[in-house]
Amino acid sequence: MLDAAIKTQLSAYLEKLQTPIELVASLDASDAARQMRELLADIAALSPKVSVRIDDGNDARKPSFSVGRLNEAARIRFAGIPMGHEFTSLVLALLQTGGHPPKVDAAVIEQIKGLGGKFRFETYISLSCHNCPDVVQALNLMAVLNPGVESVMIDGALYQDEVSARQIMAVPTVMLNGEPFGQGRMTIEEILAKVDTGAAARDAEKLNAKDAYDVLVVGGGPAGSAAAIYAARKGIRTGVVAERFGGQVLDTLSIENLISVPHTEGPKLAMALEQHVKQYEVDIMNLQRAEALVPAGDDGLAQVKLANGATLKAKSVILATGARWREMNVPGEKEYKAKGVCFCPHCDGPLFKGKRVAVIGGGNSGVEAAIDLAGIVSHVTLLEFDSKLRADAVLQAKLGSLPNVTIITSALTTEVTGDGEKVNGIVYQDRVSGATQRVELEGIFVQIGLLPNTDWLKGTVKLSPRGEIEVDARGQTSLPGVFAAGDATTTPYKQIIIAMGDGAKASLSAFDHLIRSPAVTPAATVVDLGQPA
C-alpha cells in the first residue's frame, strides 16, 4: 500500500512514539477493506510499538479503523483510507496518540483539557479537499487530550449512502453529537471558540487591556502579513488582528505564479506567512472580526472595535481585509448553499461523482473548475453572462475538447431550484432571445469573482462604487494615518504577489507617517494654588 520512500519516512516518525498504540479495524469484503488491511499491516511492520487487531463488530462503518493506546478505549477513528491530503492526519494521530507532544500553544492545550461534557465529532471529508485535514487534525488532537472527545473522519466518496441520507453536499462538514456543527475550514481555536462558551468574554477582556500599537494591521492574508513584517522590522510596536489568518489563500489549491516559487498550495503558503510573521515581535490576534473603525481623536489614536466587544487602539492602521467569493444573489442560492450550491470544486467536487453540475462563470476560475469537474461528474454545464468566455485560450481549448461539457454564453442566471433539501436545477435567461431555460442538475459551482470585505468600513473611509477602499500611490486612504493594501483596495489585478507588495508599501507609508507626526502629549493640568497670604 505504501511505497518504499513513504515507508522510510514514516518509520523515522514512528521512532518518536513513547507508548504502544493499537489499530483496531472493522472490515468487510470490499476492495477498500483490502486496501485498509494492507495499509495497517504496512504501518505495524514499521514499529514494534504499533499493533493491529481485526474486530469486525467494533464499528458499524466498514471499512474503518481506530487509533488508540494499548488497553485503552480509542477515541479516534478513520472511516475511510486516509491517503492523499489526509495522510498527514493519520501520521499525526499515530504520533499524538503515542505520546509525542503536539506543536500547539500551551494555552490551547489547557483549554482543551478543561472542556467538560461529551463531544462526538463526525467529519465528512473528501481526499482531494485541502481544507479538510486542518479540521480532522484539530478534532483528533482534542480527542487525544480530552477523554470526553471522540473524533471520526468519514470519507464521503466511500460512504455515499450516508452522505445522501445526511444531505452532506460540502466538505468538510462536521457533526457534533449527531447535529450539524460547522462547514468549511476551521482551526482548533475556532472549534474551541464554538464549544467553549466563555472564550469570547475572556478574549475581549485580554484585548481591551492591550496598550496602543504604533501600527495595527487588520487582516492576516498576504497583504497583512507583508505589512506586519515590514512594520516589525522597523522596531515599532506592531499588531495583527485577523478573522482568519491566511485569508482567502487558505481556499486556494494550486499557486504557480508566485515568483521564485514554481508551485505551492494555499494552506502551505498561509502557514509559511504566519511562521514568517511570528519570527518578529508581532502581536497576532487571530479569530477576531473587526466591526468598526473610529478615526483618531485628540489623543492621536485610531480605534478598531471588534465583534466580541473589545477595542484596540493604534497610532496608525493598515486595512488588509481581502475579499470573499462573489455570490449570484438570485432566489434559492442562500437556501441551498452547501446543499448543492458550492464555491470550491477541489473540495466538494468528489461529492458529485457521477452527477450533473453547473459552473457559473467563464473566466479562468470557472473554466478551470469545469475542466476539473468534468473528470469526476457525469456532465458539466458552464454558464457565462458575457457573449464569450474570458478564460485564457489554452484553457478554452482544453474545455472545448471535453465530451461531457456544454458551454452556454449570454446566460443570465435567475434562480436556483431545489426540493427543499437539495438543489435540483438552475434557471437562466438567454440574454439574446429573452427565453427562459431550466437545467436539471444536482450541483452548482459559483466562480464569478470576488467582493471586498469592506462592509464594516462604510461611512468611515472613502470606498469606490465597487466597495473597494480608495487608495493613492502610497496606500493612503481618505483618513490620515489609515492605509490599505491588497484585494480590498482599488489596486488593480487581485494577485497574491501584488497584495504582498501592497502590504509592504502601506507599511512603509505608515512608518513615514509616524516619524513625521508630532508627538501627542496630554494637555497640561492647571492647578489653582490660590493667592499668597
Side-chain angles (χ1 to χ4, degrees), residues 207 210 213-232 237-247 273-274 277-278 280-288 304 306 312 314 316 318 320 507:
L207 294 172
K210 291 181 179 290
Y213 297 94
D214 292 312
V215 173
L216 178 62
V217 181
V218 185
S225 298
I229 290 169
Y230 267 72
R237 178 168 162 75
T238 305
V240 175
V241 59
E243 186 170 357
R244 186 175 67 146
F245 201 98
L273 291 173
E274 186 170 6
V277 173
K278 286 182 175 178
Y280 298 91
E281 293 185 6
V282 175
D283 188 4
I284 298 177
M285 295 158 281
N286 199 12
L287 307 182
Q288 303 296 337
V304 174
L306 306 179
L312 301 173
S316 65
I318 297 174
S507 190

mmCIF file of all heavy atoms in Angstrom, residues 207 210 213-232 237-247 273-274 277-278 280-288 304 306 312 314 316 318 320 507:
data_model
loop_
_atom_site.group_PDB
_atom_site.id
_atom_site.type_symbol
_atom_site.label_atom_id
_atom_site.label_comp_id
_atom_site.label_asym_id
_atom_site.label_seq_id
_atom_site.Cartn_x
_atom_site.Cartn_y
_atom_site.Cartn_z
ATOM 1 N N LEU A 207 -7.950 41.586 25.291
ATOM 2 C CA LEU A 207 -7.685 42.536 24.212
ATOM 3 C C LEU A 207 -7.865 43.970 24.676
ATOM 4 O O LEU A 207 -7.106 44.862 24.279
ATOM 5 C CB LEU A 207 -8.605 42.233 23.021
ATOM 6 C CG LEU A 207 -8.366 40.898 22.310
ATOM 7 C CD1 LEU A 207 -9.452 40.636 21.290
ATOM 8 C CD2 LEU A 207 -7.001 40.875 21.643
ATOM 9 N N LYS A 210 -4.762 45.644 26.237
ATOM 10 C CA LYS A 210 -3.543 45.840 25.469
ATOM 11 C C LYS A 210 -3.246 47.328 25.275
ATOM 12 O O LYS A 210 -4.150 48.140 25.100
ATOM 13 C CB LYS A 210 -3.648 45.145 24.106
ATOM 14 C CG LYS A 210 -3.654 43.625 24.203
ATOM 15 C CD LYS A 210 -3.743 42.982 22.831
ATOM 16 C CE LYS A 210 -3.733 41.453 22.939
ATOM 17 N NZ LYS A 210 -2.421 40.926 23.347
ATOM 18 N N TYR A 213 -0.941 50.333 19.745
ATOM 19 C CA TYR A 213 0.095 49.911 18.797
ATOM 20 C C TYR A 213 0.591 51.120 17.995
ATOM 21 O O TYR A 213 -0.152 52.089 17.794
ATOM 22 C CB TYR A 213 -0.465 48.861 17.833
ATOM 23 C CG TYR A 213 -0.895 47.593 18.521
ATOM 24 C CD1 TYR A 213 -2.219 47.415 18.919
ATOM 25 C CD2 TYR A 213 0.013 46.576 18.792
ATOM 26 C CE1 TYR A 213 -2.624 46.261 19.563
ATOM 27 C CE2 TYR A 213 -0.382 45.415 19.434
ATOM 28 C CZ TYR A 213 -1.696 45.265 19.824
ATOM 29 O OH TYR A 213 -2.079 44.117 20.477
ATOM 30 N N ASP A 214 1.819 51.028 17.519
ATOM 31 C CA ASP A 214 2.287 52.012 16.539
ATOM 32 C C ASP A 214 1.593 51.754 15.205
ATOM 33 O O ASP A 214 1.132 52.678 14.540
ATOM 34 C CB ASP A 214 3.812 51.930 16.377
ATOM 35 C CG ASP A 214 4.551 52.383 17.620
ATOM 36 O OD1 ASP A 214 4.206 53.466 18.144
ATOM 37 O OD2 ASP A 214 5.456 51.664 18.080
ATOM 38 N N VAL A 215 1.548 50.461 14.820
ATOM 39 C CA VAL A 215 0.853 50.049 13.602
ATOM 40 C C VAL A 215 -0.044 48.864 13.934
ATOM 41 O O VAL A 215 0.422 47.870 14.497
ATOM 42 C CB VAL A 215 1.840 49.647 12.485
ATOM 43 C CG1 VAL A 215 1.083 49.069 11.294
ATOM 44 C CG2 VAL A 215 2.668 50.829 12.038
ATOM 45 N N LEU A 216 -1.319 48.980 13.612
ATOM 46 C CA LEU A 216 -2.244 47.867 13.762
ATOM 47 C C LEU A 216 -2.713 47.447 12.376
ATOM 48 O O LEU A 216 -3.313 48.235 11.645
ATOM 49 C CB LEU A 216 -3.448 48.258 14.616
ATOM 50 C CG LEU A 216 -4.522 47.170 14.790
ATOM 51 C CD1 LEU A 216 -3.954 45.946 15.501
ATOM 52 C CD2 LEU A 216 -5.733 47.714 15.537
ATOM 53 N N VAL A 217 -2.419 46.207 12.004
ATOM 54 C CA VAL A 217 -2.814 45.662 10.709
ATOM 55 C C VAL A 217 -4.099 44.877 10.893
ATOM 56 O O VAL A 217 -4.174 43.998 11.757
ATOM 57 C CB VAL A 217 -1.708 44.751 10.129
ATOM 58 C CG1 VAL A 217 -2.123 44.221 8.762
ATOM 59 C CG2 VAL A 217 -0.379 45.485 10.043
ATOM 60 N N VAL A 218 -5.108 45.187 10.081
ATOM 61 C CA VAL A 218 -6.376 44.464 10.134
ATOM 62 C C VAL A 218 -6.421 43.532 8.930
ATOM 63 O O VAL A 218 -6.590 43.961 7.790
ATOM 64 C CB VAL A 218 -7.577 45.426 10.121
ATOM 65 C CG1 VAL A 218 -8.875 44.638 10.301
ATOM 66 C CG2 VAL A 218 -7.442 46.474 11.217
ATOM 67 N N GLY A 219 -6.247 42.243 9.172
ATOM 68 C CA GLY A 219 -6.210 41.265 8.091
ATOM 69 C C GLY A 219 -4.920 40.467 8.127
ATOM 70 O O GLY A 219 -3.839 41.034 8.335
ATOM 71 N N GLY A 220 -5.034 39.148 7.903
ATOM 72 C CA GLY A 220 -3.857 38.284 8.015
ATOM 73 C C GLY A 220 -3.517 37.523 6.759
ATOM 74 O O GLY A 220 -2.906 36.457 6.826
ATOM 75 N N GLY A 221 -3.908 38.055 5.589
ATOM 76 C CA GLY A 221 -3.545 37.419 4.326
ATOM 77 C C GLY A 221 -2.178 37.874 3.851
ATOM 78 O O GLY A 221 -1.375 38.391 4.635
ATOM 79 N N PRO A 222 -1.874 37.696 2.567
ATOM 80 C CA PRO A 222 -0.565 38.113 2.042
ATOM 81 C C PRO A 222 -0.264 39.591 2.276
ATOM 82 O O PRO A 222 0.857 39.951 2.642
ATOM 83 C CB PRO A 222 -0.673 37.788 0.546
ATOM 84 C CG PRO A 222 -1.665 36.678 0.482
ATOM 85 C CD PRO A 222 -2.668 36.971 1.561
ATOM 86 N N ALA A 223 -1.255 40.464 2.067
ATOM 87 C CA ALA A 223 -1.036 41.900 2.268
ATOM 88 C C ALA A 223 -0.791 42.212 3.737
ATOM 89 O O ALA A 223 0.151 42.944 4.089
ATOM 90 C CB ALA A 223 -2.234 42.693 1.741
ATOM 91 N N GLY A 224 -1.626 41.664 4.611
ATOM 92 C CA GLY A 224 -1.469 41.920 6.034
ATOM 93 C C GLY A 224 -0.171 41.361 6.586
ATOM 94 O O GLY A 224 0.486 41.990 7.427
ATOM 95 N N SER A 225 0.215 40.186 6.118
ATOM 96 C CA SER A 225 1.466 39.576 6.585
ATOM 97 C C SER A 225 2.667 40.421 6.181
ATOM 98 O O SER A 225 3.576 40.667 6.991
ATOM 99 C CB SER A 225 1.599 38.160 6.022
ATOM 100 O OG SER A 225 0.551 37.332 6.467
ATOM 101 N N ALA A 226 2.690 40.855 4.924
ATOM 102 C CA ALA A 226 3.802 41.689 4.455
ATOM 103 C C ALA A 226 3.856 42.995 5.233
ATOM 104 O O ALA A 226 4.945 43.468 5.622
ATOM 105 C CB ALA A 226 3.658 41.958 2.962
ATOM 106 N N ALA A 227 2.694 43.602 5.477
ATOM 107 C CA ALA A 227 2.655 44.859 6.229
ATOM 108 C C ALA A 227 3.202 44.663 7.634
ATOM 109 O O ALA A 227 3.973 45.496 8.135
ATOM 110 C CB ALA A 227 1.219 45.373 6.274
ATOM 111 N N ALA A 228 2.825 43.570 8.290
ATOM 112 C CA ALA A 228 3.285 43.320 9.653
ATOM 113 C C ALA A 228 4.789 43.108 9.709
ATOM 114 O O ALA A 228 5.475 43.627 10.604
ATOM 115 C CB ALA A 228 2.557 42.103 10.218
ATOM 116 N N ILE A 229 5.326 42.364 8.759
ATOM 117 C CA ILE A 229 6.768 42.097 8.740
ATOM 118 C C ILE A 229 7.547 43.383 8.520
ATOM 119 O O ILE A 229 8.537 43.670 9.224
ATOM 120 C CB ILE A 229 7.091 41.053 7.663
ATOM 121 C CG1 ILE A 229 6.551 39.679 8.076
ATOM 122 C CG2 ILE A 229 8.592 40.984 7.398
ATOM 123 C CD1 ILE A 229 6.572 38.643 6.971
ATOM 124 N N TYR A 230 7.114 44.201 7.567
ATOM 125 C CA TYR A 230 7.825 45.446 7.289
ATOM 126 C C TYR A 230 7.753 46.404 8.479
ATOM 127 O O TYR A 230 8.721 47.110 8.782
ATOM 128 C CB TYR A 230 7.269 46.108 6.022
ATOM 129 C CG TYR A 230 8.034 45.724 4.782
ATOM 130 C CD1 TYR A 230 7.925 44.441 4.251
ATOM 131 C CD2 TYR A 230 8.887 46.628 4.152
ATOM 132 C CE1 TYR A 230 8.634 44.066 3.133
ATOM 133 C CE2 TYR A 230 9.606 46.272 3.026
ATOM 134 C CZ TYR A 230 9.478 44.981 2.515
ATOM 135 O OH TYR A 230 10.202 44.630 1.391
ATOM 136 N N ALA A 231 6.623 46.421 9.168
ATOM 137 C CA ALA A 231 6.494 47.299 10.329
ATOM 138 C C ALA A 231 7.379 46.808 11.479
ATOM 139 O O ALA A 231 8.095 47.596 12.115
ATOM 140 C CB ALA A 231 5.034 47.371 10.771
ATOM 141 N N ALA A 232 7.330 45.503 11.732
ATOM 142 C CA ALA A 232 8.101 44.953 12.844
ATOM 143 C C ALA A 232 9.594 45.149 12.636
ATOM 144 O O ALA A 232 10.354 45.360 13.596
ATOM 145 C CB ALA A 232 7.771 43.472 13.011
ATOM 146 N N ARG A 237 6.024 48.992 17.657
ATOM 147 C CA ARG A 237 5.032 48.068 18.228
ATOM 148 C C ARG A 237 3.967 47.752 17.180
ATOM 149 O O ARG A 237 3.243 48.637 16.716
ATOM 150 C CB ARG A 237 4.408 48.692 19.470
ATOM 151 C CG ARG A 237 3.328 47.836 20.110
ATOM 152 C CD ARG A 237 2.952 48.358 21.500
ATOM 153 N NE ARG A 237 1.684 47.841 21.947
ATOM 154 C CZ ARG A 237 1.475 46.605 22.386
ATOM 155 N NH1 ARG A 237 2.490 45.751 22.435
ATOM 156 N NH2 ARG A 237 0.274 46.217 22.790
ATOM 157 N N THR A 238 3.874 46.453 16.801
ATOM 158 C CA THR A 238 3.026 46.031 15.689
ATOM 159 C C THR A 238 2.040 44.966 16.136
ATOM 160 O O THR A 238 2.397 44.020 16.830
ATOM 161 C CB THR A 238 3.890 45.470 14.544
ATOM 162 O OG1 THR A 238 4.868 46.444 14.161
ATOM 163 C CG2 THR A 238 3.040 45.109 13.336
ATOM 164 N N GLY A 239 0.797 45.117 15.708
ATOM 165 C CA GLY A 239 -0.220 44.113 15.986
ATOM 166 C C GLY A 239 -0.940 43.713 14.713
ATOM 167 O O GLY A 239 -1.067 44.517 13.783
ATOM 168 N N VAL A 240 -1.405 42.475 14.652
ATOM 169 C CA VAL A 240 -2.221 41.982 13.542
ATOM 170 C C VAL A 240 -3.490 41.395 14.124
ATOM 171 O O VAL A 240 -3.438 40.499 14.969
ATOM 172 C CB VAL A 240 -1.499 40.905 12.714
ATOM 173 C CG1 VAL A 240 -2.437 40.326 11.650
ATOM 174 C CG2 VAL A 240 -0.257 41.466 12.048
ATOM 175 N N VAL A 241 -4.631 41.907 13.689
ATOM 176 C CA VAL A 241 -5.909 41.338 14.103
ATOM 177 C C VAL A 241 -6.578 40.782 12.857
ATOM 178 O O VAL A 241 -6.708 41.473 11.848
ATOM 179 C CB VAL A 241 -6.793 42.389 14.820
ATOM 180 C CG1 VAL A 241 -7.074 43.583 13.931
ATOM 181 C CG2 VAL A 241 -8.086 41.759 15.304
ATOM 182 N N ALA A 242 -6.946 39.503 12.899
ATOM 183 C CA ALA A 242 -7.459 38.839 11.699
ATOM 184 C C ALA A 242 -8.602 37.915 12.058
ATOM 185 O O ALA A 242 -8.582 37.245 13.095
ATOM 186 C CB ALA A 242 -6.348 38.051 11.011
ATOM 187 N N GLU A 243 -9.592 37.880 11.167
ATOM 188 C CA GLU A 243 -10.694 36.942 11.357
ATOM 189 C C GLU A 243 -10.231 35.523 11.060
ATOM 190 O O GLU A 243 -10.688 34.565 11.683
ATOM 191 C CB GLU A 243 -11.865 37.323 10.446
ATOM 192 C CG GLU A 243 -13.103 36.501 10.689
ATOM 193 C CD GLU A 243 -14.324 37.050 9.961
ATOM 194 O OE1 GLU A 243 -14.214 38.113 9.307
ATOM 195 O OE2 GLU A 243 -15.385 36.421 10.051
ATOM 196 N N ARG A 244 -9.299 35.388 10.113
ATOM 197 C CA ARG A 244 -8.789 34.069 9.733
ATOM 198 C C ARG A 244 -7.407 34.276 9.139
ATOM 199 O O ARG A 244 -7.270 34.720 8.004
ATOM 200 C CB ARG A 244 -9.729 33.411 8.729
ATOM 201 C CG ARG A 244 -9.364 31.988 8.377
ATOM 202 C CD ARG A 244 -10.398 31.358 7.464
ATOM 203 N NE ARG A 244 -10.436 31.964 6.156
ATOM 204 C CZ ARG A 244 -10.711 31.300 5.023
ATOM 205 N NH1 ARG A 244 -10.969 30.015 5.070
ATOM 206 N NH2 ARG A 244 -10.745 31.921 3.869
ATOM 207 N N PHE A 245 -6.358 33.997 9.910
ATOM 208 C CA PHE A 245 -5.010 34.253 9.416
ATOM 209 C C PHE A 245 -4.749 33.396 8.172
ATOM 210 O O PHE A 245 -4.969 32.195 8.172
ATOM 211 C CB PHE A 245 -3.958 33.951 10.479
ATOM 212 C CG PHE A 245 -2.651 34.662 10.214
ATOM 213 C CD1 PHE A 245 -2.357 35.842 10.857
ATOM 214 C CD2 PHE A 245 -1.754 34.172 9.276
ATOM 215 C CE1 PHE A 245 -1.179 36.520 10.584
ATOM 216 C CE2 PHE A 245 -0.583 34.833 9.000
ATOM 217 C CZ PHE A 245 -0.288 36.014 9.656
ATOM 218 N N GLY A 246 -4.278 34.047 7.134
ATOM 219 C CA GLY A 246 -4.085 33.392 5.843
ATOM 220 C C GLY A 246 -5.099 33.861 4.831
ATOM 221 O O GLY A 246 -4.842 33.859 3.632
ATOM 222 N N GLY A 247 -6.287 34.248 5.314
ATOM 223 C CA GLY A 247 -7.312 34.791 4.430
ATOM 224 C C GLY A 247 -7.726 33.822 3.342
ATOM 225 O O GLY A 247 -7.754 32.597 3.532
ATOM 226 N N LEU A 273 3.391 32.122 5.730
ATOM 227 C CA LEU A 273 3.194 33.533 6.066
ATOM 228 C C LEU A 273 3.136 33.723 7.580
ATOM 229 O O LEU A 273 3.791 34.613 8.138
ATOM 230 C CB LEU A 273 1.894 34.047 5.437
ATOM 231 C CG LEU A 273 1.850 34.190 3.912
ATOM 232 C CD1 LEU A 273 0.437 34.538 3.461
ATOM 233 C CD2 LEU A 273 2.833 35.244 3.433
ATOM 234 N N GLU A 274 2.361 32.879 8.244
ATOM 235 C CA GLU A 274 2.222 33.013 9.695
ATOM 236 C C GLU A 274 3.548 32.748 10.410
ATOM 237 O O GLU A 274 3.924 33.463 11.347
ATOM 238 C CB GLU A 274 1.148 32.066 10.208
ATOM 239 C CG GLU A 274 0.834 32.251 11.680
ATOM 240 C CD GLU A 274 -0.398 31.487 12.129
ATOM 241 O OE1 GLU A 274 -0.951 30.726 11.323
ATOM 242 O OE2 GLU A 274 -0.803 31.668 13.291
ATOM 243 N N VAL A 277 5.785 35.821 9.987
ATOM 244 C CA VAL A 277 5.359 36.917 10.859
ATOM 245 C C VAL A 277 5.783 36.644 12.303
ATOM 246 O O VAL A 277 6.235 37.542 13.022
ATOM 247 C CB VAL A 277 3.836 37.126 10.766
ATOM 248 C CG1 VAL A 277 3.365 38.146 11.809
ATOM 249 C CG2 VAL A 277 3.446 37.600 9.372
ATOM 250 N N LYS A 278 5.670 35.386 12.733
ATOM 251 C CA LYS A 278 5.997 35.039 14.116
ATOM 252 C C LYS A 278 7.491 35.104 14.420
ATOM 253 O O LYS A 278 7.887 35.028 15.587
ATOM 254 C CB LYS A 278 5.458 33.639 14.435
ATOM 255 C CG LYS A 278 3.942 33.598 14.615
ATOM 256 C CD LYS A 278 3.454 32.203 14.966
ATOM 257 C CE LYS A 278 1.959 32.198 15.256
ATOM 258 N NZ LYS A 278 1.454 30.838 15.566
ATOM 259 N N TYR A 280 9.079 37.691 14.153
ATOM 260 C CA TYR A 280 9.258 39.052 14.655
ATOM 261 C C TYR A 280 8.339 39.268 15.862
ATOM 262 O O TYR A 280 7.461 38.463 16.150
ATOM 263 C CB TYR A 280 8.943 40.070 13.557
ATOM 264 C CG TYR A 280 9.858 39.960 12.358
ATOM 265 C CD1 TYR A 280 9.517 39.144 11.277
ATOM 266 C CD2 TYR A 280 11.075 40.632 12.320
ATOM 267 C CE1 TYR A 280 10.357 39.026 10.187
ATOM 268 C CE2 TYR A 280 11.913 40.526 11.228
ATOM 269 C CZ TYR A 280 11.559 39.715 10.159
ATOM 270 O OH TYR A 280 12.394 39.593 9.082
ATOM 271 N N GLU A 281 8.556 40.359 16.560
ATOM 272 C CA GLU A 281 7.733 40.677 17.722
ATOM 273 C C GLU A 281 6.431 41.318 17.263
ATOM 274 O O GLU A 281 6.225 42.520 17.398
ATOM 275 C CB GLU A 281 8.499 41.581 18.676
ATOM 276 C CG GLU A 281 9.706 40.898 19.328
ATOM 277 C CD GLU A 281 10.372 41.764 20.364
ATOM 278 O OE1 GLU A 281 9.832 42.855 20.669
ATOM 279 O OE2 GLU A 281 11.432 41.377 20.868
ATOM 280 N N VAL A 282 5.566 40.477 16.714
ATOM 281 C CA VAL A 282 4.261 40.924 16.241
ATOM 282 C C VAL A 282 3.193 40.260 17.109
ATOM 283 O O VAL A 282 3.222 39.048 17.324
ATOM 284 C CB VAL A 282 4.041 40.541 14.763
ATOM 285 C CG1 VAL A 282 2.632 40.915 14.318
ATOM 286 C CG2 VAL A 282 5.070 41.233 13.876
ATOM 287 N N ASP A 283 2.273 41.057 17.610
ATOM 288 C CA ASP A 283 1.174 40.544 18.415
ATOM 289 C C ASP A 283 0.059 40.096 17.477
ATOM 290 O O ASP A 283 -0.657 40.913 16.894
ATOM 291 C CB ASP A 283 0.677 41.647 19.360
ATOM 292 C CG ASP A 283 -0.345 41.129 20.372
ATOM 293 O OD1 ASP A 283 -0.596 39.905 20.377
ATOM 294 O OD2 ASP A 283 -0.882 41.946 21.138
ATOM 295 N N ILE A 284 -0.087 38.782 17.299
ATOM 296 C CA ILE A 284 -1.101 38.230 16.399
ATOM 297 C C ILE A 284 -2.365 37.917 17.192
ATOM 298 O O ILE A 284 -2.324 37.161 18.162
ATOM 299 C CB ILE A 284 -0.594 36.960 15.703
ATOM 300 C CG1 ILE A 284 0.633 37.282 14.836
ATOM 301 C CG2 ILE A 284 -1.690 36.344 14.839
ATOM 302 C CD1 ILE A 284 1.246 36.073 14.172
ATOM 303 N N MET A 285 -3.470 38.510 16.762
ATOM 304 C CA MET A 285 -4.765 38.279 17.406
ATOM 305 C C MET A 285 -5.691 37.658 16.360
ATOM 306 O O MET A 285 -6.334 38.367 15.576
ATOM 307 C CB MET A 285 -5.321 39.603 17.932
ATOM 308 C CG MET A 285 -4.469 40.216 19.042
ATOM 309 S SD MET A 285 -4.700 42.005 19.241
ATOM 310 C CE MET A 285 -3.698 42.639 17.875
ATOM 311 N N ASN A 286 -5.725 36.339 16.340
ATOM 312 C CA ASN A 286 -6.480 35.615 15.315
ATOM 313 C C ASN A 286 -7.917 35.380 15.774
ATOM 314 O O ASN A 286 -8.248 35.493 16.954
ATOM 315 C CB ASN A 286 -5.791 34.286 15.019
ATOM 316 C CG ASN A 286 -6.210 33.696 13.687
ATOM 317 O OD1 ASN A 286 -6.840 34.356 12.861
ATOM 318 N ND2 ASN A 286 -5.878 32.436 13.464
ATOM 319 N N LEU A 287 -8.781 35.052 14.823
ATOM 320 C CA LEU A 287 -10.197 34.735 15.062
ATOM 321 C C LEU A 287 -10.945 35.928 15.654
ATOM 322 O O LEU A 287 -11.839 35.775 16.485
ATOM 323 C CB LEU A 287 -10.338 33.524 15.988
ATOM 324 C CG LEU A 287 -9.569 32.266 15.579
ATOM 325 C CD1 LEU A 287 -9.834 31.148 16.555
ATOM 326 C CD2 LEU A 287 -9.910 31.864 14.168
ATOM 327 N N GLN A 288 -10.564 37.113 15.219
ATOM 328 C CA GLN A 288 -11.209 38.334 15.704
ATOM 329 C C GLN A 288 -11.729 39.120 14.507
ATOM 330 O O GLN A 288 -10.964 39.473 13.618
ATOM 331 C CB GLN A 288 -10.232 39.194 16.510
ATOM 332 C CG GLN A 288 -9.600 38.487 17.693
ATOM 333 C CD GLN A 288 -10.604 38.081 18.750
ATOM 334 O OE1 GLN A 288 -11.691 38.653 18.857
ATOM 335 N NE2 GLN A 288 -10.255 37.080 19.547
ATOM 336 N N VAL A 304 -10.078 50.354 16.591
ATOM 337 C CA VAL A 304 -10.717 49.279 15.837
ATOM 338 C C VAL A 304 -11.554 48.479 16.821
ATOM 339 O O VAL A 304 -11.027 47.874 17.755
ATOM 340 C CB VAL A 304 -9.685 48.368 15.141
ATOM 341 C CG1 VAL A 304 -10.382 47.186 14.484
ATOM 342 C CG2 VAL A 304 -8.887 49.154 14.102
ATOM 343 N N LEU A 306 -14.028 45.410 17.811
ATOM 344 C CA LEU A 306 -14.160 44.014 17.407
ATOM 345 C C LEU A 306 -15.535 43.460 17.769
ATOM 346 O O LEU A 306 -16.250 43.999 18.611
ATOM 347 C CB LEU A 306 -13.075 43.169 18.073
ATOM 348 C CG LEU A 306 -11.629 43.646 17.866
ATOM 349 C CD1 LEU A 306 -10.661 42.723 18.592
ATOM 350 C CD2 LEU A 306 -11.287 43.731 16.386
ATOM 351 N N LEU A 312 -9.304 47.936 20.137
ATOM 352 C CA LEU A 312 -7.856 48.077 20.006
ATOM 353 C C LEU A 312 -7.541 49.489 19.544
ATOM 354 O O LEU A 312 -8.288 50.080 18.760
ATOM 355 C CB LEU A 312 -7.308 47.060 19.003
ATOM 356 C CG LEU A 312 -7.570 45.583 19.319
ATOM 357 C CD1 LEU A 312 -7.127 44.710 18.148
ATOM 358 C CD2 LEU A 312 -6.846 45.166 20.593
ATOM 359 N N ALA A 314 -4.469 52.354 18.069
ATOM 360 C CA ALA A 314 -3.212 52.411 17.324
ATOM 361 C C ALA A 314 -2.961 53.815 16.788
ATOM 362 O O ALA A 314 -3.900 54.561 16.506
ATOM 363 C CB ALA A 314 -3.235 51.411 16.164
ATOM 364 N N SER A 316 -1.415 54.252 13.943
ATOM 365 C CA SER A 316 -1.701 54.121 12.507
ATOM 366 C C SER A 316 -2.333 52.764 12.267
ATOM 367 O O SER A 316 -2.107 51.819 13.024
ATOM 368 C CB SER A 316 -0.437 54.281 11.660
ATOM 369 O OG SER A 316 0.482 53.232 11.922
ATOM 370 N N ILE A 318 -3.444 49.802 9.170
ATOM 371 C CA ILE A 318 -3.358 49.305 7.795
ATOM 372 C C ILE A 318 -4.505 48.323 7.586
ATOM 373 O O ILE A 318 -4.603 47.305 8.272
ATOM 374 C CB ILE A 318 -2.012 48.622 7.514
ATOM 375 C CG1 ILE A 318 -0.869 49.633 7.664
ATOM 376 C CG2 ILE A 318 -2.001 48.019 6.108
ATOM 377 C CD1 ILE A 318 0.509 49.012 7.536
ATOM 378 N N ALA A 320 -6.212 45.528 5.550
ATOM 379 C CA ALA A 320 -5.853 44.493 4.571
ATOM 380 C C ALA A 320 -6.820 43.330 4.717
ATOM 381 O O ALA A 320 -6.415 42.184 4.923
ATOM 382 C CB ALA A 320 -4.404 44.042 4.785
ATOM 383 N N SER A 507 2.917 49.632 4.682
ATOM 384 C CA SER A 507 3.643 49.639 5.944
ATOM 385 C C SER A 507 4.727 50.716 5.952
ATOM 386 O O SER A 507 4.909 51.428 6.949
ATOM 387 C CB SER A 507 4.258 48.261 6.192
ATOM 388 O OG SER A 507 4.764 48.157 7.502
#
